[in-house]
Amino acid sequence: MALNPETFTDKTNKVLSEARNLCLEEAHVQITATHVANVLFSDNEGFAKNICTKAGVDPINVERGLKRLLVRQAKQDPAPTDVSFSNSLVKLLRTAQEKQRAQGDSHLAVDHILVVLHEDRDVAAALNEAGLTKSKLEAAVKEVRGSRKVDSKSAEETYE
């Protein structure tokens, strides 16, 4: 199945674009789940920080752990002029699409990506270390999202 940005919500496209920019700023070779997680958890008004609060986890601890992961990634000098998704990130996004379809949603939303971040070993370790376990994450996402369907590019605007 293809990764088609037309079937992503506006927020998902924004997160992936910002992850690309972060990758280029850091002179990394490929966009990874670490970049995506850093973008998600660094947005002060964002869904991921709200999820942390609902799960009873300090979002600052999550952000610190993810930043440590980011600085450990290899840099390229001179920095690359363009970057693409790593194979593991593509796999993660496809897993998120499976979750999207299982929930009967027409668009890939940030919450689909957030829930599958535990599929990445390094990101999962950072999240677990901060106290954001997979079960806490899933429960908090379910609480915030409720029974709403993602049926448009702007569907996430209706989240709590």
Side-chain angles (χ1 to χ4, degrees), residues 1 16 18 29 37 52 65 69 76 86 108 115 129 131 133 148:
M1 112 198 76
L16 294 176
E18 289 177 12
V29 180
C52 285
L69 272 182
Q76 179 178 313
S86 67
L108 183 68
V115 169
E129 184 180 319
T133 63
R148 290 180 288 266

Side-chain angles (χ1 to χ4, degrees), residues 3-151:
L3 295 174
N4 180 358
E6 289 299 312
T7 62
F8 297 171
T9 62
D10 293 335
K11 285 188 179 186
T12 297
N13 278 319
K14 182 179 180 213
V15 164
L16 294 176
S17 175
E18 289 177 12
R20 179 186 179 280
N21 293 341
L22 178 61
C23 181
L24 287 168
E25 287 168 16
E26 295 291 326
H28 296 154
V29 180
Q30 287 188 312
I31 308 164
T32 65
T34 300
H35 295 101
V36 173
N38 267 279
V39 168
L40 284 169
F41 285 95
S42 66
D43 180 1
N44 289 326
E45 307 288 313
F47 184 72
K49 286 204 174 173
N50 188 15
I51 292 302
C52 285
T53 304
K54 290 280 187 197
V57 174
D58 184 352
I60 293 171
N61 289 338
V62 174
E63 194 174 350
R64 282 184 190 140
L66 292 170
K67 290 214 182 296
R68 280 193 299 271
L69 272 182
L70 190 66
V71 297
R72 284 191 299 193
Q73 288 198 351
K75 294 183 182 270
Q76 179 178 313
D77 188 23
T81 56
D82 198 18
V83 290
S84 60
F85 293 158
S86 67
N87 289 338
S88 62
L89 179 57
V90 170
K91 183 179 176 191
L92 186 121
L93 291 172
R94 286 192 174 134
T95 302
Q97 283 182 318
E98 289 168 14
K99 184 160 282 299
Q100 165 205 339
R101 273 194 299 287
Q103 292 177 336
D105 296 327
S106 63
H107 289 73
L108 183 68
V110 168
D111 63 279
H112 299 124
I113 296 171
L114 196 56
V115 169
V116 300
L117 282 175
H118 271 276
E119 302 289 321
D120 182 90
R121 183 176 35 99
D122 294 333
V123 172
L127 296 177
N128 287 332
E129 184 180 319
L132 191 59
T133 63
K134 186 173 184 173
S135 59
K136 280 185 177 180
L137 177 65
E138 288 172 346
V141 166
K142 189 173 186 175
E143 181 183 340
V144 171
R145 180 177 165 164
S147 61
R148 290 180 288 266
K149 293 290 181 195
V150 180
D151 55 6

